[in-house]
Amino acid sequence: NNVETPYTYEDYEEMVECLLSRQPHRPSIGIICGSGLMNLANKLEERYNVPYEKVPKFPVCTVEGHTGQFCFGTLKGKKVVMMQGRFHLYEGYPPWKVASPARVMKLMGVDTVIVTSSSGALNPAFKVGDIMVIMDHIGMPTVSGFNPLDGKNDERFGSRFVDMNKVYDEKLRNSTLKVAEEQRIAPFTRQGVYLMVGGPSYETPAEARYLRALGGDVVGMSTVPEVLAARHCGMRALGLSLITDIVTMDYGAAGAINHDDFLETAKWRAATMNDLVVGVVEKMDCE
Ligand code: R1P
């Protein structure tokens, strides 16, 4: 039987003990960096890196561009932990493992989680290089039985049933839009619905039309499990997604998409997106 047993509370404690013993910071903000957005960690001061493989039982990254380390430091005076690299369902990881970074962050003392990602636009008004503040999400895997909260619930994290009405913190979203105005990037900053698919295959035109009809503004293969686990244990969540391609809805459209294109586009707009995150962190009402 190949089915893995989810991490216990004690497993998480062991991971956190290791992470805190290897560096002096005690973060209150956690940031999970999406594809092509890892350079944000270069903005950290007094930085300490802890590679994932040093942390007992913690997964490793298998996707190109996902470095696979925790980066601790200060950002605009705030104590931050960043994850350079996340886990996806298509890597073969079960949902609880994909979402495990949120619980590690919680036990480290983090109360606000920022998740970034790159995604494809379904909304015809959106353009490559736009930044979307996630207002809400649709988790295709999570609504259909691939939920990180499946299995025995540990009340020390949160209760069995989780309210998902206000998942993405309104105050943080408004603050992000305000920072976007100040940084003069409001014309290409959007707000909308992130739709998660399992991947790793990109969408067929028929699937793209279907996902759009469901209400997705962008489609990606991450974010939702981490945010679900974060909300389950009472952390505030902010999600930002960089649009790195337009999802093809008809058969005549030119060009196939690939992950290298995603990374290339992310490079082009990553600095702007990272400046936005720094601006939001600066305004946060925590240490
Ligand atoms: C596709 O190219 C990959 O990039 C995005 C998609 O979700 C998918 O994993 O990665 P992040 O969501 O990790 O940014």
Side-chain angles (χ1 to χ4, degrees):
N1 167 350
N2 281 332
V3 179
E4 284 182 86
T5 316
Y7 297 138
T8 62
Y9 194 88
E10 290 69 29
D11 289 333
Y12 283 108
E13 283 181 325
E14 197 187 336
M15 293 177 201
V16 168
E17 198 184 299
C18 164
L19 283 162
L20 296 185
S21 70
R22 284 176 174 267
Q23 52 74 44
H25 295 292
R26 299 293 176 261
S28 59
I29 301 168
I31 303 176
I32 301 177
C33 301
S35 290
L37 298 163
M38 308 289 152
N39 279 347
L40 182 59
N42 296 342
K43 297 196 180 279
L44 285 172
E45 288 172 29
E46 303 161 69
R47 175 173 164 179
Y48 291 80
N49 299 330
V50 183
Y52 295 167
E53 63 260 26
K54 300 277 184 213
V55 183
K57 298 186 181 155
F58 202 68
V60 292
C61 286
T62 69
V63 184
E64 197 197 326
H66 287 245
T67 317
Q69 60 183 5
F70 287 90
C71 306
F72 293 85
T74 59
L75 192 62
K76 296 286 175 190
K78 308 269 164 51
K79 292 174 194 122
V80 173
V81 57
M82 285 183 201
M83 288 186 60
Q84 276 188 320
R86 61 149 55 92
F87 314 110
H88 306 83
L89 290 177
Y90 61 76
E91 293 174 78
Y93 291 130
W96 55 266
K97 213 175 226 185
V98 171
S100 61
R103 290 184 166 185
V104 171
M105 286 179 173
K106 173 72 182 180
L107 293 197
M108 277 198 281
V110 167
D111 57 30
T112 304
V113 174
I114 303 177
V115 283
T116 68
S117 62
S118 55
S119 59
L122 296 167
N123 185 327
F126 288 9
K127 295 187 175 54
V128 169
D130 284 355
I131 294 168
M132 191 184 87
V133 179
I134 304 180
M135 210 181 98
D136 198 356
H137 71 224
I138 300 171
M140 299 290 279
T142 57
V143 294
S144 52
F146 295 94
N147 193 304
L149 306 179
D150 285 343
K152 195 170 180 294
N153 185 58
D154 191 322
E155 293 279 334
R156 286 173 286 184
F157 283 115
S159 51
R160 170 81 286 183
F161 299 104
V162 193
D163 178 64
M164 295 296 285
N165 190 13
K166 291 183 178 149
V167 180
Y168 298 89
D169 190 81
E170 191 178 359
K171 209 169 139 209
L172 289 177
R173 283 190 285 117
N174 289 338
S175 167
T176 308
L177 296 174
K178 193 151 176 267
V179 174
E181 291 266 348
E182 288 164 10
Q183 296 185 348
R184 298 181 189 283
I185 58 167
F188 56 87
T189 303
R190 317 282 192 162
Q191 221 177 157
V193 174
Y194 179 99
L195 188 146
M196 183 209 178
V197 293
S201 47
Y202 293 115
E203 303 69 39
T204 65
E207 284 167 346
R209 294 191 298 269
Y210 162 70
L211 300 176
R212 175 65 184 147
L214 284 182
D217 289 303
V218 301
V219 57
M221 306 167 192
S222 68
T223 300
V224 173
E226 297 147 355
V227 168
L228 253 165
R231 292 300 299 141
H232 178 242
C233 57
M235 294 191 283
R236 293 194 297 178
L238 175 69
L240 299 176
S241 199
L242 175 61
I243 291 151
T244 43
D245 85 294
I246 304 293
V247 183
T248 303
M249 300 216 182
D250 66 76
Y251 301 98
I257 50 160
N258 60 56
H259 189 60
D260 291 338
D261 290 346
F262 259 60
L263 295 180
E264 207 40 53
T265 313
K267 235 186 257 169
W268 163 63
R269 195 65 107 189
T272 310
M273 172 106 160
N274 290 342
D275 285 346
L276 178 62
V277 176
V278 174
V280 173
V281 167
E282 189 173 13
K283 277 197 192 324
M284 271 185 196
D285 50 4
C286 56
E287 272 183 22

